[in-house]
Amino acid sequence: MSPSSFLLSLALLSVPSLALAQEAPSPARAEPKAYAIIIGNNAAGPGQDTLHYAEADAKRVSSVLSELGGYHFQEPRLLLSPSPLQLWDSFDAVQREIRADQEQGVEAVLFFYYSGHARSTALDLGASEVELSDLRARIEAM
């Protein structure tokens, strides 16, 4: 991998339900639903070399979460060389599911994983990019 490539993995980000926060804690609490958005991108942007393993890494992470994750994972959303629009569409879909869980008093967690080129301010998706500040805002909004 080139120096500009990196692996970004945000730890499981808890998205607590408002309903659960207002209820008294119960001794037998249901396991939270877990959602995953996993991105692998081998594509090179301007001045970058094509990567060889980012997409394969993302596939492996998806497989591990499905088999050994330790959480009740919904089907992980695996995106290989997505456009920014495809990435945001996936976030929108997960956010709708998390909100539906919250309305039913179910806690949810989100796992986000990215393997590919990036810079200090953005993930590179080939010739396109996703600003890290936009990504952070989307995750925090969930």
Side-chain angles (χ1 to χ4, degrees), residues 8-14 109-112 139:
L8 171 67
S9 177
L10 297 178
L12 285 173
L13 174 66
S14 180
V109 294
L110 172 66
F111 179 85
F112 177 79
I139 291 172

Side-chain angles (χ1 to χ4, degrees), residues 91-102:
F91 266 88
D92 290 342
V94 170
Q95 189 167 24
R96 282 190 300 273
E97 291 178 43
I98 288 173
R99 284 191 179 144
D101 290 339
Q102 289 174 334

Side-chain angles (χ1 to χ4, degrees), residues 51-106:
L51 299 175
H52 299 287
Y53 304 107
E55 292 177 17
D57 290 345
K59 288 177 186 177
R60 279 189 225 111
V61 167
S62 180
S63 177
V64 167
L65 290 179
S66 296
E67 296 169 15
L68 307 172
Y71 283 87
H72 176 64
F73 269 99
Q74 305 306 302
E75 186 66 29
R77 285 172 171 75
L78 175 62
L79 305 171
L80 302 177
S81 296
S83 69
L85 179 60
Q86 290 169 318
L87 172 65
W88 297 136
D89 284 349
S90 187
F91 266 88
D92 290 342
V94 170
Q95 189 167 24
R96 282 190 300 273
E97 291 178 43
I98 288 173
R99 284 191 179 144
D101 290 339
Q102 289 174 334
E103 289 172 5
Q104 295 179 10
V106 176

Side-chain angles (χ1 to χ4, degrees), residues 118-141:
R119 291 172 288 109
S120 63
T121 60
L123 301 182
D124 294 332
L125 299 176
S128 300
E129 63 182 35
V130 170
E131 294 294 324
L132 291 178
S133 58
D134 294 340
L135 180 62
R136 177 180 295 237
R138 281 296 195 96
I139 291 172
E140 289 176 352

